[in-house]
Amino acid sequence: MGMACAGCAANVERHLRELDGVNSANVNFAARTALVDYDPDRISLQQMKEAILQAGFDLVVEEDRNVEAIEKRAWRMLLRRVVVSWVLAVLCMSISMGWILVGDVNMRNQTLFIIALMNLVYCGRPFFTSALQRLRHGETNMDTLVALSTAISFLFSAFNTFWGEQFWGSRGVEWNTWYDASIMIITFVLTGRLMEARAKNSTASAIRQLMGMAPKTARLVNGDELSEVPIATLQPGDIIEMKAGDKAPVDGIITTLMGNEAPSGAVGGTDFLMDESTMTGEPLSDPKQPGDRIFCGTIVHQGRCRYKAQQVGEQTMLAQMIRMVQQAQGSKAPVQRVADRIASIFVPTILLLSLLTFLAWWIIGGEAQLPRALLSAVSVLVIACPCALGLATPTALMVGIGKAAQKNILVKDATALEHLRMTSAIVIDKTGTLTIPAPQVPESSYSAATTREALKPHAREAMQTLRDMGIDIYMMSGDKEEAAAYWAKQAGIDHYQSRALPQDKEDLVRRLQAEGHHVAMIGDGVNDTQALALADVSIAMGKGTDVAMDVAQVTLMGTDLRRIADAILLSKKTTGMIRQNLFWAFIYNVVCIPLAAGVPCLFGHDWQITPIWASALMAFSSVSVVLNSLRLKFTNT
């Protein structure tokens, strides 16, 4: 909490990494989250919180369960400040433009002085508090620029209000007040942050949808009685009853089937069916039997059952999915680290440019150009925006990873999402990945059995789509030559190898990489883990072994292999969005800073960006980056 720009995120990250016992820390400015790997025997979360508080920020520990309340409180406070600031800004502009008449010029300026002071004290206080905290630690951030620019505008205007005529008039220098600038800077920046917060809230919609899958209560069986209890009270071993339309509150094993009722308007049947699209991508499961698994968040489509709770709370598959998506959204792609390094030196560079702008105008025009020198220096301070630069990568990644989660593609880290786009060769396991395992049959009856062994639905379509994308596909199988050849042909795969051992899969990945390919390995078993660990991108099937899913960077929930192409296309679109955001963030500063500094005036064009327009453009640049990233939510991929 308390981060104003990417520079703040870099400072928080640095403070965390310097703590004894912290192995690594990644701070995501867009998500306002910190992903920390630490040794609990050497440092506690409370100690981290105290260290961050001393640095001028706040660390809200997830286990406190008050994150949402704190965010809502901060949102309401920000909204109040925006409303008050706009009221004062309209009042200031009305007086400045003569729409509201307030005595003579002196009375008008004194009235504006009071309005601007009210705006600084109430609406602008967070900027000054943050800037002073950063100064005490020898650091700077976006609030430093806002505090400096508004303070200079206000103090220069206050000086002119009470001593302007005596000081400037006696020297023959034209003077004015900039109260509207000091107010509008704060108004536009606060408005921009409010819009950012609203837009960034949309980037986290995938997480909220996942969190909303779990019901709030469960029907607990206690002897012959049923009682509605909060799911937080459930323990492993509890027996839970569900009927058609209910969401499963925890993971568990079916113990008893109790009837065939269906939801209102649906056709009843004799089977117990679950809608497992949230976990596997499949809208309806095969008929469930006692002993079958049920996952938290899945919905009873037909029938009634009782089942025994096994994994509850943070141990459920749904909770693990949420945690994986949160960690992925909080991780950093390689391109973001470059942007972070630039952002960390951005504010000091802008402070220097602002000072040089002031000195250049003073030296060129002497005392007569002092008002323009101050105006130009303030404009440079205001228009520079490390926020846009800091938001460019994480907002796109958050939306991209969230979009992937909605398609049952779980991405473990941002690096995988960035690297998927470069895939030029895929090594895919056969049994369990490309085909559905079936009982072994004698070789003599192999051809007859194949008409039933087992190609996954849409597998051939998925392989054709990948080939159309220019990707080479290699199938590896431990099966006999005849079986491997048959299934490769059925799937439309030209390259295959039979009787493959784990080392053979690893060797193939190495050979393809040596040939210059960017290799994705897709598997589901322990025998695939060597190749998964070596591949540039590793993809596991959601119904595979735990070992394979632990090693893999991406997990496909369900059996639909078309999600592979979706993941690659989403990677390309996300990376393209990041490049767009970074381009516009850089171009914005490259173009706008010289205009704010008054460079056109040196060539006879009496035009430059004023502090008011600078604050509006700065706010717009940050909001535009977030809104551009949100376009990913509506992609067809």
Side-chain angles (χ1 to χ4, degrees), residues 295-354:
F295 297 102
C296 176
T298 57
I299 303 171
V300 180
H301 178 77
Q302 178 178 285
R304 289 176 66 198
C305 82
R306 289 183 177 180
Y307 77 106
K308 180 185 292 187
Q310 288 190 320
Q311 287 79 33
V312 301
E314 296 299 315
Q315 303 304 314
T316 65
M317 178 74 77
L318 178 61
Q320 292 175 37
M321 287 173 61
I322 293 171
R323 191 156 52 246
M324 185 184 295
V325 175
Q326 286 176 324
Q327 290 174 351
Q329 289 184 333
S331 62
K332 293 185 179 180
V335 68
Q336 186 179 345
R337 291 181 169 83
V338 177
D340 285 349
R341 284 195 293 272
I342 295 172
S344 65
I345 62 172
F346 192 89
V347 175
T349 302
I350 293 304
L351 290 173
L352 179 60
L353 285 175
S354 178

Side-chain angles (χ1 to χ4, degrees), residues 14 34 51 308 355 415 448 457 502 533 627:
R14 179 171 57 81
K308 180 185 292 187
L355 178 60
T415 302
L627 292 178

Side-chain angles (χ1 to χ4, degrees), residues 183-390:
I183 293 176
M184 292 307 296
I185 290 170
I186 290 174
T187 303
F188 278 128
V189 174
L190 286 176
T191 303
R193 290 190 177 176
L194 188 72
M195 293 174 69
E196 273 180 42
R198 188 67 176 267
K200 285 187 288 189
N201 197 36
S202 297
T203 66
S205 60
I207 286 289
R208 290 196 301 274
Q209 288 177 12
L210 287 174
M211 289 178 171
M213 289 178 186
K216 304 298 182 184
T217 61
R219 202 174 294 108
L220 181 65
V221 178
N222 188 7
D224 294 330
E225 297 181 354
L226 295 177
S227 56
E228 202 82 12
V229 299
I231 62 169
T233 64
L234 294 177
Q235 300 293 325
D238 285 345
I239 302 297
I240 300 155
E241 182 171 309
M242 291 196 305
K243 61 182 181 180
D246 286 350
K247 285 185 178 180
V250 295
D251 294 354
I253 296 289
I254 296 176
T255 57
T256 309
L257 298 181
M258 304 176 62
N260 61 353
E261 57 180 61
S264 178
V267 178
T270 59
D271 296 322
F272 182 77
L273 303 175
M274 297 287 296
D275 178 349
E276 296 184 325
S277 57
T278 55
M279 290 290 131
T280 67
E282 307 297 334
L284 287 182
S285 67
D286 292 330
K288 294 284 188 179
Q289 301 296 331
D292 286 347
R293 294 287 306 276
I294 285 183
F295 297 102
C296 176
T298 57
I299 303 171
V300 180
H301 178 77
Q302 178 178 285
R304 289 176 66 198
C305 82
R306 289 183 177 180
Y307 77 106
K308 180 185 292 187
Q310 288 190 320
Q311 287 79 33
V312 301
E314 296 299 315
Q315 303 304 314
T316 65
M317 178 74 77
L318 178 61
Q320 292 175 37
M321 287 173 61
I322 293 171
R323 191 156 52 246
M324 185 184 295
V325 175
Q326 286 176 324
Q327 290 174 351
Q329 289 184 333
S331 62
K332 293 185 179 180
V335 68
Q336 186 179 345
R337 291 181 169 83
V338 177
D340 285 349
R341 284 195 293 272
I342 295 172
S344 65
I345 62 172
F346 192 89
V347 175
T349 302
I350 293 304
L351 290 173
L352 179 60
L353 285 175
S354 178
L355 178 60
L356 291 175
T357 298
F358 173 79
L359 293 175
W361 276 110
W362 195 8
I363 293 170
I364 291 171
E367 196 173 68
Q369 289 293 338
L370 190 56
R372 183 186 286 275
L374 280 171
L375 181 75
S376 301
V378 168
S379 297
V380 169
L381 286 175
V382 175
I383 205 161
C385 187
C387 297
L389 187 63

Side-chain angles (χ1 to χ4, degrees), residues 111-137:
T111 303
L112 292 176
F113 169 82
I114 294 172
I115 295 173
L117 183 61
M118 292 169 59
N119 191 63
L120 283 179
V121 171
Y122 178 69
C123 304
R125 183 171 58 192
F127 299 113
F128 290 92
T129 302
S130 174
L132 288 173
Q133 287 175 333
R134 303 277 59 76
L135 184 61
R136 282 201 299 268
H137 292 87

Side-chain angles (χ1 to χ4, degrees), residues 535-558:
D536 298 289
V537 179
S538 48
I539 302 174
M541 305 304 294
K543 291 188 176 181
T545 64
D546 290 341
V547 176
M549 287 189 284
D550 285 343
V551 172
Q553 298 166 298
V554 179
T555 300
L556 303 182
M557 305 303 292

Side-chain angles (χ1 to χ4, degrees), residues 143-157:
D143 289 340
T144 305
L145 302 182
V146 176
L148 267 177
S149 58
T150 52
I152 292 172
S153 300
F154 177 79
L155 292 174
F156 183 73
S157 300

